[in-house]
Amino acid sequence: MQLDNSFTVPVGLDDTWQLFQDIGAVAPCMPGAVLDTVEGDSFTGRVGVKVGAVRMSYRGRGTVRRDEAEHTVVLELSGSETRGSGTASAEVAARLTPDGDRTRVTVRTDLALTGRPAQFGRGILAEVADGLVQQFAARLAEYLSTHRQDGGAPGTALPGPGTSTAPAPAEPDAVDLGAAVLPVLARRAARPAAALAGAGLLAWLLARLLSNSRRRG
């Protein structure tokens, strides 16, 4: 399935492009993700997901390609459940464009899932993915703001590739996919409920009009 998302970060294109060179800085901003190793343009990591009381952990690897002329970053990702038969693979293409003194990041994801998360279907996964991308954007903005508060002025170097030295946790902090899905389901359920309520109100108004008309007749 194909998913399209976009967000903005509160710094210019050059700084944002520089940040995207460092997978060690970008990856921890993704909810539920832990980066284990980085070797050149290849990396390994884990993603934790919860659906209700069920916790799933995916272990996988990826590669990154960059096109500086187009300010595009492409990730090729693949993984599988550590305790289960589910699999996930994705090609994630992020394109950076200037937006005044900010940067807009447009993301297109070609995603293939098997196992329990696949049961939610494209529509729900698209809305959940948008929520997760917005969390990712907020964490990126916080990272950039923290760097600036630590003394880095616009245009100065951000921490370079490979400078992320914090040890990876034993298990990723699982993103609660169930909690993300429930509001989406509630909104979808509210639409037919609102339509039924509107139809009921219309029927009541028509009945009142007919009743008043008969009395006058």
Side-chain angles (χ1 to χ4, degrees):
M1 69 184 73
Q2 189 175 89
L3 306 173
D4 293 292
N5 307 95
S6 65
F7 59 92
T8 59
V9 290
V11 297
L13 178 62
D14 290 342
D15 279 347
T16 306
W17 176 251
Q18 185 181 349
L19 172 62
F20 271 67
Q21 307 309 298
D22 185 3
I23 193 68
V26 173
C29 296
M30 179 57 70
V34 167
L35 190 66
D36 290 321
T37 66
V38 179
E39 295 182 6
D41 291 332
S42 300
F43 56 91
T44 63
R46 289 162 290 144
V47 175
V49 175
K50 290 193 300 183
V51 181
V54 179
R55 180 186 176 110
M56 292 165 284
S57 182
Y58 291 83
R59 185 179 296 275
R61 61 182 62 251
T63 58
V64 57
R65 307 192 309 270
R66 302 177 182 88
D67 184 336
E68 186 169 6
E70 296 294 327
H71 289 109
T72 301
V73 178
V74 179
L75 299 175
E76 297 280 355
L77 308 169
S78 62
S80 58
E81 281 188 75
T82 55
R83 297 180 180 177
S85 58
T87 63
S89 62
E91 179 181 276
V92 183
R95 187 166 188 268
L96 282 59
T97 54
D99 185 8
D101 59 353
R102 301 161 63 89
T103 301
R104 173 162 292 276
V105 183
T106 304
V107 183
R108 170 159 290 183
T109 303
D110 287 308
L111 176 66
L113 286 174
T114 66
R116 286 165 285 187
Q119 67 185 312
F120 293 121
R122 185 193 183 284
I124 291 176
L125 285 176
E127 292 196 49
V128 171
D130 186 64
L132 296 178
V133 166
Q134 299 312 316
Q135 289 183 46
F136 172 68
R139 293 184 182 188
L140 271 180
E142 182 180 2
Y143 173 88
L144 289 163
S145 298
T146 300
H147 171 71
R148 295 299 178 226
Q149 291 169 5
D150 287 343
T156 60
L158 290 166
T163 58
S164 303
T165 57
E171 286 293 333
D173 185 13
V175 60
D176 192 343
L177 191 57
V181 167
L182 286 175
V184 176
L185 292 176
R187 287 198 300 273
R188 292 185 170 221
R191 292 170 193 163
L196 287 171
L201 178 61
L202 179 60
W204 180 82
L205 288 172
L206 287 172
R208 293 282 295 179
L209 288 171
L210 287 172
S211 176
N212 292 337
S213 176
R214 291 192 189 101
R215 288 171 186 166
R216 287 194 298 269

